[in-house]
């Protein structure tokens, strides 16, 4: 296929599933992660076993110097970039009155600045080629009020609005930008929710189950394909009907 995708936060969870799915679709895959080298290498090994290239890049997406260095390496290793999936994110639920400064700043830095850092570097390269796809992983919390998620929902609301603006700016350069807003997906992130609350959420989901990382990966793969070549600036909600 000769196409390359970068997935941020692909050592585990949704990012890992997206990386594997894009590899199955024939993409060479660049796996970004922040701390877990062992898991990132494991994802890369699985991807190589599918017959495509894979490489791991340790970079804190909120740090522009590390992001620039990652993109330089990526260019040396793979040449061009066809797809960026902005996925690396954090959640640290706290009621408004309990939100602490450190957690607030970390969430804003990773969930907002991190997406802009990577999109900017990717767009610089994609614009030269006159084509590319950027997918931003948002959350249903961007449109649905969930207690304890003032900070997280604000960051994901920002992801939705940056998606629209990026899409408008980058369309003349042949770059499409869309977002996927998952509901509750069974990953490490969900483990931070207390069991009783998880049961309450399942009760509220019309399809009566949490989604899987693969459910998200399937939608991302579709959005990356030319089947969706006329879609840009949209937020696709994938929540089993939770927000209805
Ligand atoms: P997860 O299991 O906690 O995995 C997070 C991933 O992001 C890991 O690979 C982690 O790398 C990486 N990461 C964290 N901070 C980073 C940073 N500063 N720089 C680079 N990588 C970083 O999370 P997940 O559940 O898969 O969530 C992935 C995305 O989906 C997030 O944007 C999240 O907001 C969104 N989402 C999740 C759910 C859900 O229910 N799970 C629902 C809606 C939206 P290391 O392992 O190396 O630390």
């Amino acid at each position: 296929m000769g196409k390359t995708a970068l997935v941020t936060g692909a050592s585990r969870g949704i990012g890992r599933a997206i990386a594997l799915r894009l590899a199955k679709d024939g993409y060479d895959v660049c796996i970004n992660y922040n701390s877990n080298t062992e898991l990132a290498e494991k994802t890369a090994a699985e991807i190589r076993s599918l017959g495509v290239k894979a490489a791991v890049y340790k970079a804190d997406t909120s740090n522009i110097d590390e992001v620039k260095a990652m993109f330089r390496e990526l260019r040396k290793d793979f040449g061009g970039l066809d797809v960026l999936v902005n996925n690396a994110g954090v959640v640290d639920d706290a009621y408004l009155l309990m939100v602490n400064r450190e957690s607030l700043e970390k969430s804003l830095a990773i969930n907002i600045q991190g997406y802009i850092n990577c999109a900017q570097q990717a767009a610089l390269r994609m614009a030269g080629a006159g084509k590319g796809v950027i997918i931003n992983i948002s959350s249903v919390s961007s449109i649905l009020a969930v207690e304890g998620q003032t900070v997280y929902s604000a960051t994901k609301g920002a992801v939705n609005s940056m998606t629209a603006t990026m899409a408008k700016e980058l369309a003349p350069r042949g770059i499409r930008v869309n977002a996927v807003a998952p509901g509750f997906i069974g990953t490490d992130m969900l483990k931070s929710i207390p069991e009783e609350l998880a049961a309450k959420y399942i009760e509220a989901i019309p399809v009566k189950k949490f989604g899987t990382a693969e459910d998200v990966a399937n939608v991302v793969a579709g959005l990356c394909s030319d089947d969706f070549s006329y879609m840009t600036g949209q937020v696709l909600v994938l929540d089993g009907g939770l927000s209805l």
Side-chain angles (χ1 to χ4, degrees):
M1 184 192 214
K3 283 192 174 183
T4 302
L6 165 64
V7 184
T8 67
S11 51
R12 54 196 164 91
I14 292 171
R16 178 180 180 281
I18 294 170
L20 281 163
R21 173 56 207 260
L22 292 179
K24 283 179 188 146
D25 287 353
Y27 286 88
D28 293 328
V29 185
C30 310
I31 297 152
N32 158 260
Y33 70 104
N34 187 34
S35 57
N36 207 324
T37 307
E38 202 182 324
L39 284 185
E41 291 288 3
K42 200 169 159 230
T43 306
E46 267 185 71
I47 287 175
R48 287 185 201 111
S49 76
L50 295 169
V52 293
K53 279 170 67 180
V56 302
Y57 301 91
K58 178 172 164 46
D60 175 352
T61 52
S62 67
N63 181 319
I64 188 62
D65 294 330
E66 291 187 24
V67 168
K68 282 182 176 173
M70 169 171 74
F71 275 84
R72 277 196 298 272
E73 285 301 307
L74 194 152
R75 189 184 200 124
K76 271 194 250 157
D77 297 342
F78 290 88
L81 181 69
D82 299 281
V83 168
L84 163 70
V85 182
N86 261 327
N87 166 81
V90 288
V91 65
D92 186 15
D93 287 356
Y95 288 107
L96 176 64
L97 299 181
M98 314 281 280
V99 170
N100 73 61
R101 200 56 28 192
E102 195 187 336
S103 168
L104 170 64
E105 284 171 9
K106 185 177 171 192
S107 293
L108 297 177
I110 298 173
N111 295 4
I112 302 179
Q113 281 173 230
Y115 277 37
I116 293 173
N117 288 343
C118 293
Q120 186 186 46
Q121 294 304 307
L124 271 169
R125 282 147 181 87
M126 290 171 176
K131 61 184 169 66
V133 173
I134 297 174
I135 309 289
N136 294 323
I137 303 301
S138 177
S139 165
V140 73
S141 302
S142 64
I143 56 163
L144 182 73
V146 178
E147 286 171 359
Q149 294 203 325
T150 294
V151 173
Y152 184 70
S153 67
T155 65
K156 294 303 186 178
V159 169
N160 294 358
S161 44
M162 75 170 76
T163 297
T165 309
M166 286 178 191
K168 203 165 186 176
E169 283 186 16
L170 297 175
R173 296 169 184 271
I175 302 167
R176 294 191 294 114
V177 188
N178 289 294
V180 177
F184 294 103
I185 306 296
T187 67
D188 290 348
M189 192 173 267
L190 211 62
K191 288 185 191 149
S192 65
I193 298 179
E195 230 169 83
E196 323 83 76
L197 198 56
K200 206 176 109 190
Y201 286 143
I202 288 182
E203 197 43 46
I205 301 170
V207 303
K208 301 293 177 215
K209 59 179 181 184
F210 289 141
T212 65
E214 289 71 28
D215 289 330
V216 182
N218 291 339
V219 174
V220 170
L223 285 171
C224 290
S225 81
D226 288 341
D227 291 344
F228 286 79
S229 59
Y230 198 57
M231 182 182 278
T232 197
Q234 304 305 304
V235 180
L236 287 192
V237 178
L238 183 73
D239 66 351
L242 177 67
S243 58
L244 300 176

